[in-house]
Amino acid sequence: MHDINLVRENPEAFDKALRQRKAGPAAATLIACDDARRAAIAKAQALQTTRNEASKKIGQVKGTGDDAAAEELMAQVAELKSALLEAEGEERKLKAQLEKALSVLPNIPLADVPEGVDEDDNQEVRQIGEVGGVNAAMQHFEIGEELGQMDFEAAAALSGARFVVLRDDLARLERALGNFMLDLHTSEYGYREINPPLLVRDDAVFGTGQLPKFSEDLFRTENGYWLTPTAEVTLTNLVRDQITNAADLPLRFAAMTPCFRSEAGAAGRDTRGMIRQHQFSKVELVSIVEPDDGEDELERLTACAEEVLKRLGLSYRVMLLCAGDMGFSARKTYDLEVWLPGQNSYREISSCSYCGDFQGRRMNARFRHGDEKSTHFVHTLNGSGLAVGRSLVALLENYRQEDGSVLIPEVLQAYMGGRNKIEPITR
RNA sequence: GGAGAGGUGGCUGAGUGGUUGAAAGCGGCGGUCUUGAAAACCGUUGAGCGUUUGCGCGUUCCGGGGGUUCGAAUCCCUCCCUCUCCGCCA
């Protein structure tokens, strides 16, 4: 959500930013609506002042017992009523109209975000690890099925397309990966572990920006809950409607949760395998910070996610997203893309975003310095650290041996009963 | 799912439809006193919006939304949340 005052201060810059985000100009409409709203407020308040003074007088007169005088005053004030009702209704209507218009506009990019329309315009920031050189590399679903522990047919029978059943060591590997990531972030990087609800109300999903515009990407229960598409929703909304003491910032939260996405706009894409599922597990990192710390925190957050890849020994690159490829709530985003030999390409495995005060406004999440009177909106960041399902995919494709076994990276071995590889199960 | 009780400022907790943004206490902050601290005493202490160069002025907010009324924390409707009992259940 944008600050209407900033729109008023610099309408040209605002519209220019919107153009970068592939949205039409909106400043003129917004300002006109806000002007009307302010006029309605002034009008309503003037009427309220008159009414309040008269009502106060009625109270005093009644106290003296002069009922006749009171009746006369009451008759006078009654005439104000319809005008006041109308003015208040107008104010409410315009306020709702303005908020509705603001709520569907994407966040504006930071100055160092490259212009561009899609992923082809993203910039590579750095690349880590060796890439390519694997002969006859297999895709993860081939490897998983060869191991006898990745079953798409069983999942289809249970739930349909875009689900998977993992068995035995692969089931455990998913758990091992998640636990390793969570342990790393909590013990070395100061994130507090959270176990949040997976079903949330409208307000929460609005706060992080998935609503009202992207409801078709989400699953909804019959009684009106939304299944969270990412723990970003719950972790970020932990500070909703609160005034946090600045001394308590930054707040850093981590959670491992299933994530649910309808993938409505992705028909035909990544239809095979575990890359794009309706349900997947993800370790999410969220930081709540003061405005001045936002950009540094994005670098820190990204480094935390990168460290997971480094310790797993996976090759990857860091991409700075262009304005056109960023998510709705983001001002700046780094994607981490892991190398997948089976696909002979890089695939997104983490997305780390700085959202400025965009979500803070939507959530009414504020902070205050101890000695200050005024409050400010918190700045928020989120990033995957990492997507667990895709991490499992990457391990399979990068660590399959010629004999069909898959090596387990050292950091995961303790989580896998001390073993160093996964072998096919035939049964 | 059934029955009932409640939601008031950072916290506890009063509140009769009429100068109540709201008693009192605690906590916080400032001051007096003190070498310093404590105690005591005095003062102060919510958020948002509109308007103003500024001091300020106005307005809204007592869980959320709507209504009745000249006037609502107080009455009505509705939703949310908390608690108690019963039922069910991991």
Side-chain angles (χ1 to χ4, degrees):
Chain A
M1 189 83 85
H2 296 287
D3 182 355
I4 184 64
N5 292 313
L6 293 182
V7 180
R8 297 183 74 100
E9 278 169 28
N10 203 339
E12 295 81 14
F14 186 73
D15 279 343
K16 186 183 167 216
L18 285 184
R19 200 179 322 129
Q20 286 178 26
R21 301 299 314 268
K22 296 188 275 194
T29 314
L30 291 171
I31 291 171
C33 184
D34 191 47
D35 284 341
R37 185 185 125 260
R38 290 181 188 213
I41 288 174
K43 188 178 174 190
Q45 290 193 350
L47 289 165
Q48 282 166 341
T49 305
T50 314
R51 179 204 64 192
N52 289 348
E53 283 167 358
S55 292
K56 195 174 278 187
K57 203 175 291 174
I58 291 170
Q60 291 168 340
V61 171
K62 277 212 163 180
T64 68
D66 188 349
D67 284 351
E71 291 287 341
E72 196 182 321
L73 281 167
M74 281 162 64
Q76 284 172 22
V77 185
E79 292 173 19
L80 283 175
K81 198 182 173 183
S82 65
L84 181 58
L85 231 50
E86 192 185 332
E88 284 177 338
E90 182 73 2
E91 180 196 334
R92 214 178 301 166
K93 193 188 89 189
L94 288 165
K95 186 182 174 197
Q97 194 177 314
L98 180 65
E99 280 183 3
K100 192 180 170 192
L102 283 171
S103 71
V104 298
L105 296 175
N107 206 349
I108 60 181
L110 288 188
D112 59 345
V113 169
E115 299 215 18
V117 292
D118 59 25
E119 59 184 23
D120 293 334
D121 297 318
N122 295 341
Q123 291 178 0
E124 181 175 311
V125 177
R126 57 185 168 269
Q127 195 280 330
I128 279 90
E130 299 287 314
V131 157
V134 178
N135 291 324
M138 290 169 69
Q139 297 227 56
H140 73 277
F141 47 85
E142 298 169 318
I143 300 167
E145 286 172 343
E146 181 185 63
L147 289 169
Q149 300 171 48
M150 186 181 289
D151 191 343
F152 293 98
E153 278 183 38
L158 293 168
S159 310
R162 295 202 191 281
F163 290 94
V164 68
V165 171
L166 297 179
R167 300 186 205 275
D168 304 303
D169 287 340
L170 285 192
R172 185 170 184 177
L173 183 60
E174 165 122 1
R175 185 160 53 93
L177 272 166
N179 284 343
F180 160 65
M181 294 177 198
L182 216 36
D183 286 350
L184 174 68
H185 297 311
T186 55
S187 67
E188 297 192 31
Y189 295 124
Y191 284 87
R192 291 168 61 189
E193 182 168 352
I194 306 291
N195 191 331
L198 303 176
L199 268 46
V200 298
R201 270 203 254 278
D202 293 0
D203 288 349
V205 198
F206 180 87
T208 35
Q210 286 83 6
L211 286 186
K213 219 181 162 185
F214 305 100
S215 58
E216 68 278 5
D217 294 337
L218 307 175
F219 285 111
R220 192 174 202 211
T221 69
E222 281 188 2
N223 52 356
Y225 290 111
W226 301 94
L227 276 70
T228 49
T230 159
E232 169 199 344
V233 174
T234 37
L235 297 187
T236 308
N237 274 282
L238 285 175
V239 293
R240 136 178 305 277
D241 283 326
Q242 287 180 31
I243 301 175
T244 307
N245 192 329
D248 295 332
L249 299 176
L251 293 170
R252 298 192 176 103
F253 302 125
M256 171 166 60
T257 67
C259 303
F260 302 93
R261 300 186 182 177
S262 75
E263 297 298 343
R269 294 178 59 193
D270 303 313
T271 49
R272 293 202 66 185
M274 285 180 64
I275 293 288
R276 192 175 299 276
Q277 303 262 288
H278 286 311
Q279 175 187 332
F280 61 95
S281 186
K282 181 158 61 68
V283 170
E284 182 73 4
L285 305 174
V286 160
S287 298
I288 312 294
V289 303
E290 291 190 47
D292 288 347
D293 299 335
E295 295 191 56
D296 286 346
E297 185 71 12
L298 178 61
E299 301 302 321
R300 183 186 193 275
L301 177 70
T302 307
C304 292
E306 284 184 69
E307 186 62 21
V308 177
L309 287 164
K310 286 177 182 165
R311 295 200 190 185
L312 292 174
L314 295 169
S315 301
Y316 68 94
R317 63 181 185 180
V318 181
M319 304 297 288
L320 174 59
L321 297 198
C322 71
D325 200 32
M326 283 198 301
F328 181 74
S329 300
R331 297 203 68 188
K332 181 176 180 178
T333 298
Y334 291 117
D335 271 9
L336 269 43
E337 298 183 341
V338 70
W339 176 251
L340 296 183
Q343 293 203 356
N344 196 38
S345 66
Y346 286 102
R347 291 305 301 258
E348 177 186 340
I349 199 166
S350 171
S351 189
C352 303
S353 298
Y354 172 45
C355 299
D357 67 2
F358 190 81
Q359 296 178 323
R361 279 180 194 283
R362 295 173 84 97
M363 297 187 299
N364 190 30
R366 295 166 292 170
F367 74 94
R368 169 165 46 204
H369 287 106
D371 54 347
E372 255 185 6
K373 215 173 161 88
S374 59
T375 60
H376 317 274
F377 289 108
V378 298
H379 283 208
T380 61
L381 301 97
N382 63 79
S384 358
L386 308 165
V388 178
R390 288 187 180 182
S391 298
L392 186 140
V393 166
L395 290 186
L396 293 182
E397 294 199 6
N398 282 280
Y399 291 132
R400 178 181 180 272
Q401 306 300 294
E402 297 215 344
D403 65 0
S405 66
V406 174
L407 295 183
I408 300 169
E410 204 174 323
V411 290
L412 294 182
Q413 289 174 9
Y415 296 95
M416 292 296 288
R419 288 177 301 134
N420 62 8
K421 63 179 171 182
I422 296 172
E423 294 181 283
I425 291 178
T426 48
R427 103 166 96 90

